[in-house]
């Protein structure tokens, strides 16, 4: 390292700074732009990951509590009255949407309107789809970053290596002191691409799997609740 520094001084240049900030500050403006884009993408990915993980944990705990109340044997009408004003998680929203449709389908004489069962299933399917769409928001950004960040970093790598070759051509010197800054910024851009891509891919797979299990849970509850209402329809129609 001391020999490289001496060579750099002999060439009339400054001693390269190989700290993270130094490599960024000395990089070409295009490589700097690549690094900034990757850094911002990484920060946004982590914000999405933390938010999604916390939200999934919260709605899973709320679903557990709702399951306990739903299967406790208490009146569904009482549960509906408590939750209709503030259904704060997808399973509660699914229950409230189905119960509202159920009440609208019952005439003033207590008779059940025709086609109520089909409408109930449609309402529950639409509710599940809407809630899952909200939970899956921004996941496409994680997928995009995971797929493209390495290539964006590779672009910065290629540009940095091109700068190294230009330095060799200008100075007519291929010593390490000449090519080191360009290579360093090139490798730094590669590292930034991996720093952005790896958490994005891992987070996307983790969150997608968790949301898939939660969607199955909502579908199972919709089927169970639909069966309960269908049984009640059959009892009241005879």
């Amino acid at each position: 390292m001391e020999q490289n520094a001496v060579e750099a001084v002999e060439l009339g240049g400054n001693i390269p700074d190989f700290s993270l900030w130094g490599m960024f500050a000395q990089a070409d403006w295009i490589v700097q732009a690549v690094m900034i884009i990757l850094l911002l993408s990484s920060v946004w990915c982590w914000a999405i990951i933390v938010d999604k993980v916390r939200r999934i944990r919260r709605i899973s705990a709320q679903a557990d509590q709702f399951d306990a109340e739903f299967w406790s044997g208490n009146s569904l009408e009482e549960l509906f009255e408590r939750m209709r004003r503030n259904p704060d998680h997808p399973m509660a929203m699914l229950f409230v949407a189905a119960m509202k449709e159920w009440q609208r389908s019952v005439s003033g004489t207590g008779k059940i309107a025709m086609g109520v069962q089909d409408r109930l299933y449609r309402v529950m399917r639409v509710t599940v789809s809407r809630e899952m769409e909200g939970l899956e928001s921004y996941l496409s950004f994680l997928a995009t970053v995971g797929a493209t960040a390495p290539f964006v970093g590779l672009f910065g790598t290629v540009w940095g290596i091109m700068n190294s070759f230009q330095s060799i051509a200008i100075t007519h010197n291929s010593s390490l002191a000449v090519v080191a800054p360009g290579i360093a910024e090139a490798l730094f851009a590669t590292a930034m691409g991996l720093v952005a891509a790896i958490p994005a891919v891992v987070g996307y797979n983790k969150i997608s799997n968790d949301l898939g299990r939660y969607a199955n849970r909502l579908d199972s509850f919709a089927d169970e609740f639909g069966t309960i209402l269908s049984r009640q329809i059959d009892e009241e129609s005879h």
Side-chain angles (χ1 to χ4, degrees):
M1 180 65 71
E2 292 178 357
Q3 184 179 356
N4 296 336
V6 172
E7 292 178 358
V9 172
E10 290 176 350
L11 291 170
N14 297 324
I15 299 175
D17 182 3
F18 290 104
S19 66
L20 296 180
W21 172 252
M23 287 187 289
F24 173 80
Q26 295 171 130
D28 184 88
W29 72 270
I30 293 180
V31 181
Q32 287 180 340
V34 168
M35 293 179 182
I36 291 173
I37 291 172
L38 291 172
L39 178 61
L40 294 177
S41 298
S42 180
V43 171
W44 186 237
C45 284
W46 276 109
I48 293 172
I49 291 169
V50 171
D51 176 70
K52 293 297 182 184
V53 169
R54 293 178 61 184
R55 189 174 181 186
I56 291 171
R57 289 180 178 175
R58 184 176 68 252
I59 61 177
S60 295
Q62 291 171 324
D64 291 338
Q65 183 179 0
F66 177 82
D67 267 343
E69 294 181 9
F70 183 83
W71 297 108
S72 63
N74 295 329
S75 170
L76 295 182
E77 284 74 15
E78 293 179 2
L79 180 61
F80 172 63
E81 289 301 323
R82 289 204 314 272
M83 291 192 167
R84 66 183 304 175
R85 296 179 182 83
N86 186 30
D88 55 353
H89 58 93
M91 191 169 288
M93 292 179 182
L94 175 61
F95 170 74
V96 169
M99 287 297 293
K100 285 182 178 179
E101 181 60 32
W102 169 265
Q103 289 188 346
R104 283 194 295 265
S105 300
V106 177
S107 63
T109 59
K111 295 181 180 180
I112 299 175
M114 295 294 294
V116 59
Q117 190 168 349
D118 290 337
R119 288 196 298 275
L120 285 170
Y121 278 111
R122 283 199 296 270
V123 165
M124 288 191 286
R125 283 198 301 269
V126 169
T127 303
V128 170
S129 178
R130 183 178 63 247
E131 294 303 317
M132 291 307 304
E133 183 177 353
L135 292 173
E136 292 170 354
S137 60
Y138 299 110
L139 281 187
S140 59
F141 182 80
L142 294 181
T144 301
V145 171
T148 61
F151 297 101
V152 176
L154 182 60
F155 172 77
T157 302
V158 172
W159 197 269
I161 293 175
M162 288 172 57
N163 289 336
S164 296
F165 284 123
Q166 288 177 352
S167 299
I168 293 173
I170 293 171
T171 62
H172 302 287
N173 190 325
S174 60
S175 65
L176 185 60
V178 173
V179 300
I183 294 176
E185 70 184 52
L187 295 177
F188 190 30
T190 302
M192 289 291 294
L194 296 177
V195 166
I198 293 174
V201 172
V202 174
Y204 176 82
N205 291 334
K206 163 68 175 172
I207 294 169
S208 294
N209 290 334
D210 290 345
L211 289 180
R213 286 193 293 269
Y214 189 78
N216 291 335
R217 186 173 185 179
L218 289 180
D219 289 335
S220 297
F221 173 75
D223 290 338
E224 292 169 347
F225 189 39
T227 301
I228 292 173
L229 295 179
S230 177
R231 186 180 300 114
Q232 187 168 348
I233 292 172
D234 291 339
E235 291 176 354
E236 294 187 10
S237 60
H238 286 84

